[in-house]
């Protein structure tokens, strides 16, 4: 497997809309430069959580603009509103108890089924790496479309596993390499899967002797900057931290991987990321106001001179 040119896509729930917009910006820049599209420009793509869905969509040949419509048109099915959540929770009360996940996962599963059908990892048109975590073995599970043992797995199952964020969605049961697994969100392992992709490139491409030979594009989904005040951090217990801790863990490992990749890859590492507006940064806010804000933020970032300069340098490197 040749893997010198890497594309990595962060998790971020509904903020995958931002990632798709930025990927479309990369696609447009490639077209303007008379270069091939994303499928031809990268030879390994990695994704975590919502980034896993986008990565697999790209692997099937779906353009970023089409993947963006998934978030705009089906966000309410993936993250149902309060009335639907309460009805679902009432039905799950005796089975799952009062602290059941916020969503039952049925809407997410139906959307993944419509997008990916019966496609398997082995049918993807480019090598793809997807992260997840098995709560039974307490080990990361890294799905690889080029690994024979994984090629018969359905794409929709792999994406469902990688998007099972604790407290938001139930774990996803799946048999992987003959072992029964209970899989949760890939963000637990690496919300920014760039390091996983770099490791695979070094392992599988004999031409890559050190990281500086790689060209890496790491696509974020917006940087949260909502503070947790000292008083809150000192006084919160398990109940108060239940939801915020997921965001903190995801954000923390995203930034740490960005730092590591920037140091080891050097000037051929490119990161697309921008700060989110406070109050419009939740993983599951599918309101029209939030979607419009995400669209505006993504467009503003692409219009910045620094972003255009970075894209020109990236294209020259590919």
């Amino acid at each position: 497997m040749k893997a010198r040119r890497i594309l990595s896509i962060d998790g971020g729930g509904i903020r995958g809309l931002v990632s798709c917009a930025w990927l479309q910006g990369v696609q447009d820049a490639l077209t303007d430069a008379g270069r091939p599209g994303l499928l031809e420009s990268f030879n390994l793509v990695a994704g975590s959580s919502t980034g896993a869905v986008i990565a697999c969509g790209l692997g099937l040949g779906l353009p970023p603009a089409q993947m963006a419509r998934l978030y705009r048109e089906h966000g309410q099915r993936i993250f149902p509103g309060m009335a639907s959540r309460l009805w679902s929770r009432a039905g799950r009360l005796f089975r799952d108890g009062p602290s059941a996940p916020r969503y039952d996962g049925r809407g997410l599963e139906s959307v993944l089924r419509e997008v990916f059908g019966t496609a398997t990892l082995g049918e993807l048109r480019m090598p793809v790496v997807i992260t997840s975590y098995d709560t039974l073995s307490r080990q990361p599970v890294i799905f690889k479309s080029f690994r024979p043992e994984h090629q018969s797995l359905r794409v929709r199952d792999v994406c469902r596993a990688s998007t099972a964020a604790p407290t938001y969605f139930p774990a996803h049961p799946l048999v992987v390499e003959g072992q029964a697994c209970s899989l949760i969100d890939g963000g637990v392992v690496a919300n920014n899967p760039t390091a996983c992709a770099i490791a695979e490139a070094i392992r599988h491409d004999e031409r890559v002797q050190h990281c500086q030979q790689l060209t890496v594009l790491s696509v974020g989904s917006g940087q949260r900057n909502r503070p947790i005040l000292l008083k809150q951090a000192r006084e919160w217990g398990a109940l108060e931290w239940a939801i915020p801790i997921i965001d903190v863990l995801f954000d923390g490992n995203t930034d740490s991987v960005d730092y590591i990749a920037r140091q080891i890859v050097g000037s051929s590492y490119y990161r697309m990321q921008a700060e989110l507006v406070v109050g419009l940064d939740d993983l599951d806010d599918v309101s029209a106001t939030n979607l419009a804000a995400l669209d505006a933020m993504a467009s503003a970032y692409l219009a910045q001179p620094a972003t255009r300069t970075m894209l020109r340098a990236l294209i020259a490197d590919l």
Side-chain angles (χ1 to χ4, degrees), residues 224 228 241 243-254:
R224 292 171 60 98
I228 296 175
W241 273 110
I243 297 295
I245 194 64
I246 300 300
D247 297 328
V248 170
L249 292 174
F250 286 5
D251 291 347
N253 76 40
T254 293

Side-chain angles (χ1 to χ4, degrees), residues 2 6 23 75-76 114 144 249 262 270:
K2 297 179 180 180
I6 293 171
L23 285 166
Q76 292 282 354
E114 289 177 15
K144 307 170 188 179
L249 292 174
R262 195 175 300 277
Y270 302 88

Side-chain angles (χ1 to χ4, degrees), residues 159-235:
C159 289
R160 174 64 177 84
S162 190
T163 54
T167 75
Y168 289 92
F169 292 110
H172 187 61
L174 190 64
V175 176
V176 182
E177 299 184 37
Q179 297 295 317
C181 297
S182 170
L183 298 168
I184 61 173
D185 198 293
V188 174
V189 176
N191 199 52
N192 176 350
T194 301
C196 297
I198 290 172
E200 291 298 329
I202 293 174
R203 178 183 179 189
H204 289 283
D205 192 339
E206 66 280 358
R207 301 173 307 159
V208 179
Q209 302 300 315
H210 51 80
C211 294
Q212 286 79 7
Q213 292 177 283
L214 300 172
T215 298
V216 179
L217 172 60
S218 177
V219 179
S221 60
Q223 177 69 47
R224 292 171 60 98
N225 57 10
R226 189 189 313 192
I228 296 175
L229 303 179
L230 176 61
K231 178 178 174 60
Q232 295 170 319
R234 285 175 61 88
E235 296 179 358

